[in-house]
Amino acid sequence: MLAGRLALLVPAGSPGFRLNLLGGACAAGAAAGLGWMAARLALSPWAGVFAAAAWGLSDTFWWEAGIGDK
């Protein structure tokens, strides 16, 4: 809720647009965090790239990341 309140202070577009930007930024951060954890656990940066790409490009991820506009 606090992050949403901060997103509403950004002077760009409508409130719904600003909250959707926050949702997209959080989704990108989650994919990056997953890639970082996979790289650390597998001791290979390619494992992190693969994990982040596989999850970030999946249909389920995009469906849930874009659900804020509905």
Side-chain angles (χ1 to χ4, degrees):
M1 295 299 295
L2 291 175
R5 181 71 178 140
L6 287 175
L8 290 175
L9 297 176
V10 174
S14 67
F17 175 74
R18 289 178 259 179
L19 289 176
N20 280 335
L21 283 180
L22 175 66
C26 289
L34 174 74
W36 179 78
M37 286 189 298
R40 295 282 305 227
L41 288 173
L43 300 175
S44 169
W46 289 109
V49 170
F50 178 75
W55 187 54
L57 296 175
S58 69
D59 289 337
T60 305
F61 179 77
W62 283 101
W63 176 261
E64 293 296 327
I67 206 159
D69 62 344
K70 292 172 180 57

